Amino acid sequence: RPPRSTLFPYTTLFRSKTYILKEGEKVDFLVDLGVMTKEGAIVRTRYDKFRQINRFLEFIEDILPKLDKNRENVIIDFGCGKSYLTFAMYYYLHELKEYDIRIIGLDLKKDVIRHCNELSEKYGYEKLRFLEGDIADYTGVNKVDMVVTLHACDTATDYALAKAVGWDAKVILSVPCCQHELNRQIKNEILEPILKYGLLKERMAALITDGLRAQYLEREGYEAQILEFIDMEHTPKNLLIRALHRKKPSAKKREKASKEVNAFCEQFGFAPTLWKLLQEEGGVNNE
């Protein structure tokens, strides 16, 4: 038998992870959304969703210093869908951390919006409301503190990011999905031997898309990071762009950033939607 000291590192593998929302502690919205039983146990087939929710709340925990506890904070969740994470965000920020927040969930599906509003009323979440609408056309607020966009398809993410920049949102949390736009545009003679493989072309275009999004946000005064949202074994759409508003770079730095990114895009024939939207909205100057 090996000595105890050589066994010790392996025992850590079996320690249960400490989650923000804990197993065994009933949370009403998780019960209604089919993640928990009425006794607080995690439904076996929904454990991945439970882990995803807790992982998302870890990102929320990290950005708490950017929210003002002395006033109402407005949060927009574009493409909220069934709103597992929207409810989790409200529950964590309002119920557990006692922040004054107003969350607006936006989606195109009428039945989903209706169901989410019914649940919100059931729990007494007075400042959590869901609206039917398109990201590109939404004008319901003038000032937003945080923008969340999770799995908004293709350029819907770009519209959400452009809106966030226009509002000077302090925090942006975005998990992009289905990055088709640059996949259709990408052309490069040097890379052509690789680009003929559809899967590699798709993945390369997706990574470049999100890298450019982060660069554009940095040019607009954000500190941007690209982080792993959830393990690849659960979903290939596992990258999260986290952007925290700092201050506008100098005109010289903005011009330098524009030239570098534009030169890169010219090499591949890219015309990203986010860049066009920022120019149209006056968020950037075409320097």
Side-chain angles (χ1 to χ4, degrees):
R1 174 173 176 165
R4 184 179 179 84
S5 61
T6 62
L7 286 173
F8 180 75
Y10 300 99
T11 62
T12 59
L13 297 175
F14 302 101
R15 292 177 183 169
S16 59
K17 179 176 173 59
T18 301
Y19 290 113
I20 292 176
L21 301 183
K22 297 177 173 56
E23 298 181 59
E25 295 182 9
K26 179 186 172 186
V27 180
D28 288 338
F29 77 86
L30 290 179
V31 175
D32 285 331
L33 293 173
V35 177
M36 265 188 183
T37 67
K38 292 180 179 179
E39 294 72 36
I42 308 304
V43 176
R44 183 177 58 83
T45 57
R46 305 296 286 165
Y47 202 84
D48 286 347
K49 177 61 68 176
F50 178 71
R51 291 179 66 244
Q52 182 193 52
I53 290 169
N54 274 286
R55 176 60 172 155
F56 178 68
L57 291 182
E58 290 174 3
F59 287 112
I60 298 296
E61 187 175 48
D62 289 342
I63 59 86
L64 284 179
K66 297 293 287 185
L67 301 180
D68 190 340
K69 206 160 189 181
N70 297 314
R71 65 167 178 83
E72 181 184 76
N73 296 270
V74 178
I75 301 172
I76 302 285
D77 186 353
F78 283 123
C80 58
K82 293 181 180 179
S83 302
Y84 296 92
L85 301 182
T86 322
F87 279 105
M89 184 163 49
Y90 189 91
Y91 177 81
Y92 175 71
L93 288 172
H94 187 266
E95 303 296 309
L96 298 185
K97 294 298 182 179
E98 299 182 339
Y99 277 77
D100 183 5
I101 60 167
R102 179 179 301 280
I103 299 182
I104 300 166
L106 192 73
D107 203 274
L108 291 171
K109 299 173 184 175
K110 286 185 179 181
D111 56 336
V112 170
I113 292 299
R114 183 179 64 253
H115 180 61
C116 289
N117 276 323
E118 289 171 353
L119 292 179
S120 180
E121 291 175 12
K122 175 182 176 180
Y123 309 139
Y125 292 174
E126 296 180 358
K127 291 189 175 184
L128 173 59
R129 288 294 175 263
F130 298 89
L131 304 173
E132 180 189 351
D134 184 81
I135 292 172
D137 301 325
Y138 183 71
T139 57
V141 291
N142 297 318
K143 181 69 177 176
V144 174
D145 296 283
M146 180 161 72
V147 170
V148 176
T149 169
L150 303 171
H151 299 133
C153 190
D154 201 15
T155 57
T157 293
D158 298 304
Y159 282 94
L161 296 179
K163 290 280 189 182
V165 171
W167 286 320
D168 285 327
K170 295 179 180 178
V171 179
I172 301 172
L173 297 177
S174 176
V175 179
C177 185
C178 306
Q179 300 94 326
H180 297 311
E181 182 182 47
L182 299 195
N183 189 26
R184 293 188 295 266
Q185 298 176 359
I186 188 169
K187 292 180 181 178
N188 184 280
E189 290 184 8
I190 295 176
L191 292 179
E192 193 56 39
I194 306 301
L195 296 178
K196 71 178 183 178
Y197 301 108
L199 179 61
L200 296 181
K201 180 183 177 185
E202 178 185 349
R203 291 185 179 179
M204 185 180 297
L207 292 172
I208 292 173
T209 298
D210 294 336
L212 287 173
R213 285 166 172 162
Q215 283 291 301
Y216 291 136
L217 291 174
E218 288 195 3
R219 187 189 181 283
E220 291 306 298
Y222 287 84
E223 178 185 330
Q225 295 174 291
I226 298 181
L227 306 168
E228 185 177 70
F229 178 38
I230 195 166
D231 294 343
M232 279 287 288
E233 64 185 275
H234 302 300
T235 172
K237 308 298 181 181
N238 74 327
L239 296 183
L240 179 140
I241 300 172
R242 179 172 67 190
L244 305 180
H245 195 273
R246 301 301 185 192
K247 64 178 182 178
K248 292 279 188 182
S250 66
K252 185 176 181 180
K253 287 184 178 180
R254 285 162 61 84
E255 182 178 3
K256 181 175 183 291
S258 295
K259 288 180 178 179
E260 289 176 350
V261 176
N262 287 338
F264 176 84
C265 288
E266 287 174 9
Q267 290 290 321
F268 294 91
F270 293 146
T273 289
L274 180 55
W275 180 240
K276 290 184 282 187
L277 290 172
L278 291 174
Q279 290 175 301
E280 290 170 6
E281 295 296 323
V284 297
N285 295 315
N286 192 10
E287 297 159 338

